Amino acid sequence: MTTTATTDPMPTRVRLWVLAAACSLAVVTYIHRVGFATAVSEIRAPIGLTDGQIGALMAAFMVAYGLFEIPWGVLGDRFGVRSVLSIVILGGSALTGALALVFWLPPKTVWSFSALFALRFLFGAFQAGTFPAISRMVADWIPMDERGRVQGVIWTSSRLGGVIAPVLLVWLLQATGDPRRAFVLIALLGAAWCAAFWPWFRDRPEDMAAVNEAERLLILRGRSARRATAHDSLPWSRAWRSRSVWSLCLMYGCLGYSGNFFITLLPTYLETHRGISSETSAALTALPFAFGIAACLIGGVVSDRCIRRFGPRWGRPLIGAVGMAVAAAAILAIPWAADVRLLGLLLCLTFAGNDLAMAPAWAAAADIGERHAGALSGMMNMMASLTAALGAVVTGRMFGASGLTLPFILFSAAYVVGAVSWLGVDGSRTLSTPDHA
């Protein structure tokens, strides 16, 4: 007599391909975002931009980015990630390519600046949908106790985009000798991503034929009774009463005020106010993002381990608060760093501390928000965008008035407030539970 051994099927790995799609999108997103900041040093003279105008352009992006975070997050929760991501990436790519049109306008006039301002505002409005939609994708496709490391990998990829962008843009500007061609070429990256994503991706694991039952059950591990894929609206009254929501938004607002300096005004600070060459400036702009790659991954992995060791109450806040405290100490010393090597080290330490908090923050938004992860992460990122806009305007004006010390004191203070705010984030109570507080 023969016996047949039966084993449970191994889970398929479609969720890993979904993660790969999110990571590649994060790279493209930051190439577009950081690429403009890098190119500003090359186009400011031909177009006739002042420090104050550059700060206003960065603020235009961040204000629009903030204002459209919640609407895109709600749309992603309501209509699905596949449609929302395709729209926002195609729109953002088209607006990146449209920057080439500004060079046809008379330079050093209100027309050229107004066109740039409008394009940056609209670009921010489209890019606002990217990470709330990715957050919802993580909530739909990733088990709860793996979200930290997954968010770490995604934000690691964004930092890889930040490393690539300055080097890529400087190379394109030198190879083509024309900023217009450089903008069009990086815009094509987004169009290529959409062409691969739209035909393949589906919003829910059960709608993807390649996902077997074992993987579907694995994805659902550790969730509350109600499905994370339910398309209903955010319980606003519960969110407004939630200490975790307020703490998360305040913390991320502080992170946005200080951290976006690296994405917006760092090249201007290094070249214009520290007298550093464009090649060295490109290296000093890219290097912190390289440290951010490691920090994002470490923050995600450690926060998942803390979840298993200390539970969801302290799993995310511990590593996030430590990272922001490190950033506060390092950025405070930057104005007094006369040596380029010491300046580079402090920039890297600051951004590493900043990015230790990134994966825990977005994982906490998924933990607390669950099926409302898109809207909640949109609220969180909206706060960061608005404070980043404020930071760009304030810092740009201070730089223009030769105030090179006070901005970094304010950056440090914001990081301290953010570290303290982490103490109010409690991932053990979700917005799906009626008694959330």
Side-chain angles (χ1 to χ4, degrees):
M1 184 175 64
T2 61
T3 60
T4 302
T6 60
T7 59
D8 294 332
M10 292 291 292
T12 49
R13 298 187 176 185
V14 179
R15 68 195 185 282
L16 300 183
W17 287 104
V18 172
L19 173 59
C23 291
S24 60
L25 176 57
V27 172
V28 173
T29 296
Y30 267 71
I31 288 176
H32 287 173
R33 193 179 303 183
V34 181
F36 177 78
T38 302
V40 160
S41 60
E42 299 293 330
I43 68 175
R44 64 179 295 163
I47 296 179
L49 298 174
T50 65
D51 282 336
Q53 288 178 323
I54 292 172
L57 290 174
M58 302 306 178
F61 166 81
M62 297 310 307
V63 167
Y65 194 85
L67 291 176
F68 286 86
E69 284 286 330
I70 293 178
W72 282 121
V74 171
L75 288 172
D77 288 339
R78 183 71 177 170
F79 298 107
V81 169
R82 179 172 177 248
S83 298
V84 166
L85 275 182
S86 299
I87 291 169
V88 300
I89 300 310
L90 283 177
S93 298
L95 289 161
T96 297
L99 290 170
L101 300 177
V102 176
F103 291 86
W104 294 98
L105 298 173
K108 302 180 181 181
T109 65
V110 67
W111 299 107
S112 57
F113 174 74
S114 297
L116 266 180
F117 189 91
L119 288 173
R120 294 310 292 168
F121 184 89
L122 292 172
F123 176 72
F126 275 93
Q127 274 223 334
T130 304
F131 286 103
I134 289 177
S135 183
R136 178 57 195 259
M137 184 191 295
V138 170
D140 285 343
W141 279 89
I142 304 299
M144 182 178 181
D145 61 354
E146 295 179 8
R147 289 173 183 165
R149 76 188 76 171
V150 164
Q151 288 286 4
V153 172
I154 292 169
W155 283 99
T156 292
S157 301
S158 75
R159 291 348 187 190
L160 178 60
V163 172
I164 294 171
V167 178
L168 176 63
L169 259 293
V170 169
W171 178 78
L172 286 174
L173 290 167
Q174 292 177 346
T176 65
D178 188 346
R180 292 172 294 183
R181 294 179 182 177
F183 287 134
V184 170
L185 289 172
I186 64 171
L188 292 176
L189 294 173
W193 186 90
C194 284
F197 176 77
W198 171 262
W200 165 75
F201 182 74
R202 296 296 180 270
D203 292 322
R204 302 184 299 177
E206 54 264 43
D207 293 336
M208 190 85 83
V211 178
N212 67 7
E213 181 67 10
E215 184 175 23
R216 190 184 70 81
L217 293 174
L218 175 62
I219 291 169
L220 293 175
R221 183 179 67 203
R223 301 191 186 188
S224 61
R226 281 194 72 182
R227 295 287 306 279
T229 52
H231 287 178
D232 50 6
S233 60
L234 177 73
W236 292 101
S237 61
R238 219 174 291 156
W240 290 121
R241 296 194 306 267
S242 170
R243 182 183 66 182
S244 291
V245 169
W246 283 100
S247 298
L248 194 65
C249 289
L250 177 59
M251 175 278 300
Y252 211 65
C254 294
L255 201 72
Y257 182 90
S258 302
N260 273 276
F261 167 71
F262 288 83
I263 301 170
T264 55
L265 293 173
L266 178 58
T268 299
Y269 170 71
L270 293 174
E271 293 187 39
T272 304
H273 301 290
R274 297 294 295 256
I276 295 173
S277 68
S278 60
E279 291 79 7
T280 304
S281 174
L284 289 177
T285 301
L287 197 57
F289 286 92
F291 275 68
I293 288 174
C296 283
L297 189 58
I298 291 170
V301 170
V302 172
S303 74
D304 279 348
R305 291 184 178 178
C306 289
I307 284 279
R308 291 190 285 270
R309 175 67 177 85
F310 303 109
R313 172 63 185 95
W314 295 107
R316 309 299 184 199
L318 286 175
I319 186 66
V322 168
M324 295 186 76
V326 170
I331 202 166
L332 187 60
I334 284 177
W336 293 276
D339 184 77
V340 172
R341 290 169 295 184
L342 177 59
L343 175 61
L345 176 62
L346 290 173
L347 288 170
C348 291
L349 283 176
T350 301
F351 208 63
N354 182 95
D355 278 12
L356 276 175
M358 293 297 292
W362 285 84
D367 295 344
I368 296 167
E370 286 194 331
R371 66 183 184 274
H372 312 295
L376 179 56
S377 61
M379 291 175 63
M380 180 183 79
N381 213 20
M382 178 191 73
M383 181 65 75
S385 302
L386 296 179
T387 56
L390 175 64
V393 171
V394 170
T395 304
R397 290 187 177 181
M398 287 182 177
F399 284 170
S402 299
L404 302 182
T405 300
L406 183 57
F408 293 94
I409 296 175
L410 295 178
F411 291 151
S412 180
Y415 276 131
V416 170
V417 174
V420 174
S421 299
W422 265 113
L423 303 180
V425 177
D426 183 358
S428 67
R429 308 181 71 182
T430 75
L431 291 178
S432 300
T433 56
D435 61 343
H436 183 88

